[in-house]
Amino acid sequence: MIKELGKFHTLANYLSLSRIALLVPIFLMMSKIPEGYQYRLYTLLLMSVAFITDMLDGYVARKFNQITEWGKVIDPFADKLNLGVIVINLYLIDELSVFMFWLIILRDLSIFSGSIVVSKIIGRVLPSNFLGKITMVIIGAYLVLIIAGISRGSTFYNIGHYTVVLFSFLSLIGYGIRGIESVRWYKKNGSV
């Protein structure tokens, strides 16, 4: 079990929480995408605000020494919730294939579940790794293209599709290896 999550009330954590608050307006705008192109623009605007808060929370945490165990939980949780809302909505309005829906959802559920197990064993939260962050950027860019209205058969769509598939599997493997190594290290040395 995680021994101590520590300080909660930091600007960085509130920025992460603001991304969770953006879920409702993002959901509402996305559900109206079939009604008109303006809803694509509103959705992209809201996603931009969420992206900016994601960049700011990490910057503020590092710059003002606000890196907390809570932040290591809230930030990726907010990312996964936002991604889930976007992916589910795109699937529901038939803008995302069944395969991509399940690939993205199962990748994130696997990483999130694995991180909970590893955290309980080693007593602390492991931060996101570089490959995972790159994968999220790639998935995000792909989803932005879809929300912007790119057609399914286009070159950009196909490049995005195959890049998401590749990096989803690579990042899942990377997180799995890191989790296993962290648990082995903990069991051998008593700390990570």
Side-chain angles (χ1 to χ4, degrees):
M1 177 176 265
I2 299 171
K3 297 173 184 87
E4 174 81 35
L5 283 174
K7 189 174 183 179
F8 179 83
H9 299 285
T10 66
L11 177 58
N13 288 347
Y14 285 122
L15 285 166
S16 294
L17 289 171
S18 73
R19 282 202 315 286
I20 295 172
L22 284 168
L23 290 173
V24 171
I26 288 172
F27 178 84
L28 292 173
M29 286 303 115
M30 288 191 73
S31 64
K32 293 181 177 245
I33 283 176
E35 295 176 24
Y37 198 79
Q38 71 272 23
Y39 295 107
R40 290 183 185 276
L41 296 176
Y42 299 148
T43 300
L44 290 171
L45 178 64
L46 289 168
M47 287 173 61
S48 298
V49 172
F51 177 75
I52 290 167
T53 63
D54 191 20
M55 296 296 103
L56 279 176
D57 69 7
Y59 172 78
V60 167
R62 289 184 296 277
K63 176 82 173 169
F64 299 105
N65 196 25
Q66 294 183 359
I67 297 172
T68 66
E69 292 300 306
W70 274 110
K72 292 178 190 175
V73 172
I74 297 168
D75 181 49
F77 183 67
D79 290 342
K80 295 195 183 322
L81 280 177
N82 272 280
L83 181 68
V85 164
I86 292 166
V87 168
I88 290 167
N89 267 300
L90 287 174
Y91 175 71
L92 291 175
I93 62 173
D94 199 32
E95 298 244 349
L96 189 68
S97 70
V98 174
F99 172 77
M100 289 304 282
F101 170 79
W102 285 112
L103 175 71
I104 295 168
I105 295 294
L106 290 177
R107 172 200 174 266
D108 272 20
L109 285 175
S110 299
I111 291 169
F112 189 70
S113 302
S115 69
I116 290 171
V117 170
V118 171
S119 295
K120 284 185 176 190
I121 294 170
I122 68 173
R124 69 182 196 92
V125 179
L126 293 175
S128 300
N129 66 23
F130 183 71
L131 182 57
K133 290 178 182 183
I134 293 293
T135 303
M136 286 300 290
V137 168
I138 290 168
I139 291 171
Y142 175 70
L143 297 176
V144 165
L145 286 174
I146 293 171
I147 292 167
I150 192 168
S151 63
R152 280 197 184 175
S154 72
T155 302
F156 284 122
Y157 181 91
N158 290 331
I159 290 170
H161 177 88
Y162 292 114
T163 305
V164 167
V165 171
L166 174 65
F167 275 84
S168 292
F169 284 111
L170 290 176
S171 66
L172 190 58
I173 291 166
Y175 275 114
I177 290 169
R178 186 178 74 156
I180 291 167
E181 287 174 352
S182 296
V183 169
R184 284 183 182 160
W185 177 267
Y186 178 81
K187 287 184 176 181
K188 183 178 177 184
N189 301 304
S191 66
V192 180

